[in-house]
Amino acid sequence: MKKSIAALILTTATFSGAALADLQHGLTLDVSPQKGGAWVVVERAGQPQAGATVSIQADATQSYVTADNGRVFVHSNVESARSLTFKATDSEGNTASAKRLIPSNRS
């Protein structure tokens, strides 16, 4: 019984550590919706990612590049409120996406 519990604890710790390592090395997006688009901040391991490409998944014709602080405003041309998926890619090819509700452009 003690060996089973010890094995279970060791297995859980191993998988939790692997998941935490992926989270620390993966990209994260912080999307702040606004009228007409959203502010997007791209980070990896808590550090802003300058030069990351950000686009709206449904409209790959327009892309935006983050500044030194990892931030960029992504414009949306939709007039009614809708959910949009934002996708970011860094210089190493890592990607992340986030879906947010963007408010209507109407006053």
Side-chain angles (χ1 to χ4, degrees):
M1 179 74 166
K2 288 182 181 180
K3 288 183 181 180
S4 296
I5 292 173
L8 181 61
I9 291 171
L10 182 60
T11 302
T12 302
T14 301
F15 285 119
S16 297
L20 183 58
D22 283 345
L23 181 61
Q24 290 176 343
H25 291 86
L27 288 181
T28 57
L29 297 182
D30 181 15
V31 180
S32 300
Q34 306 286 317
K35 277 188 171 185
W39 282 104
V40 179
V41 177
V42 181
E43 294 181 335
R44 182 175 46 185
Q47 298 299 314
Q49 294 301 295
T53 302
V54 181
S55 62
I56 297 173
Q57 195 165 1
D59 182 14
T61 60
Q62 288 191 328
S63 62
Y64 304 86
V65 178
T66 58
D68 290 340
N69 62 0
R71 187 174 175 176
V72 66
F73 189 83
V74 177
H75 295 275
S76 168
N77 295 327
V78 296
E79 289 197 25
S80 59
R82 70 176 57 178
S83 290
L84 297 175
T85 301
F86 297 85
K87 181 180 177 185
T89 306
D90 69 5
S91 60
E92 296 177 9
N94 299 309
T95 63
S97 62
K99 189 172 188 174
R100 297 291 185 274
L101 177 66
I102 304 302
S104 170
N105 282 342
R106 299 178 192 155
S107 297

